[in-house]
Amino acid sequence: MQIEAAPTEARYEKPTGERRGLIMVNTGDGKGKSTAAFGLAVRAFGRTHHHGKKVKVFQFMKVPSARFGEHRAFETLGLEIEGLGDGFSWKSKDLDNSAELARSGWEKAKADIMSGEFFMVTLDEITYPLIYGWLPLQDVLDTLTARPTDCTVVLTGRRCPQEIIDIADTVTEMTLLKHAFKAGIPAQRGIED
């Protein structure tokens, strides 16, 4: 495998517009989509003294009582994170409940995005309720385009709908080259949770 050289400044035009909120997407089959989004949330939270607004992470698949590493760290920092789901997986027994939780969670996230109080709102794993048809894609698109101009929204999850990619400012596709799980190594505390 050949590694491509890092882009140089000459490849990019100098920005001429105003600073504004962005729509950012982390998608793909590789690991690190949520982790990268959490890093952005921590960075934004660390600059609260500059922008003066809130930062919040919504997790569409995690239960409200989840206590993964990010929950413990964010709690220590005072960065708000809210689980909106029921731990949905392909083994779920009550998909109607999973769908209803996603719809209810979206209404909460949408209200925060539109409130004008947030510098950044992260919608972790939102692509799954979109893919399963639990959330109306058009409502998400309308919210993203109508949000306050200084609000950045970060969306994560595999198979992001093309319509969201089309309106996003920054899209990163995580590509799976190799994963320890495929070699028989189980999930590791502090890495996967």
Side-chain angles (χ1 to χ4, degrees):
M1 173 172 55
Q2 186 176 7
I3 297 177
E4 191 174 310
T8 63
E9 291 297 321
R11 292 188 191 171
Y12 298 105
E13 292 182 28
K14 185 174 182 174
T16 57
E18 295 179 28
R19 292 188 183 269
R20 63 177 179 83
L22 303 172
I23 299 171
M24 303 179 75
V25 174
N26 295 339
T27 193
D29 291 332
K31 188 166 174 44
K33 296 176 287 294
S34 297
T35 306
F38 299 157
L40 281 172
V42 169
R43 179 178 282 165
F45 185 75
R47 291 291 191 169
T48 301
H49 67 283
H50 177 72
H51 56 72
K53 294 196 171 198
K54 298 176 188 178
V55 175
K56 187 168 183 179
V57 175
F58 289 100
Q59 291 185 300
F60 278 84
M61 294 301 175
K62 302 290 189 288
V63 298
S65 60
R67 297 288 295 152
F68 295 109
E70 64 265 24
H71 300 97
R72 296 164 192 269
F74 287 2
E75 182 180 289
T76 300
L77 293 172
L79 198 167
E80 194 172 355
I81 184 169
E82 183 174 350
L84 302 171
D86 61 358
F88 166 79
S89 78
W90 55 93
K91 297 178 184 177
S92 290
K93 291 179 172 52
D94 189 352
L95 294 179
D96 290 336
N97 182 59
S98 299
E100 182 53 41
L101 288 171
R103 286 189 289 273
S104 175
W106 166 243
E107 291 304 320
K108 289 180 185 181
K110 178 180 173 179
D112 280 357
I113 291 167
M114 298 306 291
S115 73
E117 297 177 17
F118 288 83
F119 177 79
M120 180 182 286
V121 175
T122 298
L123 307 175
D124 185 41
E125 298 183 326
I126 192 171
T127 63
Y128 304 110
L130 286 167
I131 291 165
Y132 301 133
W134 299 343
L135 298 181
L137 177 59
Q138 192 59 52
D139 190 29
V140 174
L141 291 167
D142 292 346
T143 300
L144 293 173
T145 56
R147 75 193 191 288
T149 57
D150 59 350
C151 180
T152 291
V153 180
V154 181
L155 302 92
T156 75
R158 295 172 189 247
R159 301 185 312 277
C160 185
Q162 186 63 47
E163 295 88 344
I164 292 176
I165 290 171
D166 290 344
I167 66 167
D169 298 290
T170 301
V171 178
T172 300
E173 183 174 5
M174 310 297 194
T175 303
L176 177 64
L177 298 180
K178 191 175 183 180
H179 197 294
F181 189 77
K182 288 186 176 186
I185 301 170
Q188 305 293 304
R189 283 257 181 234
I191 304 296
E192 275 84 19
D193 74 352

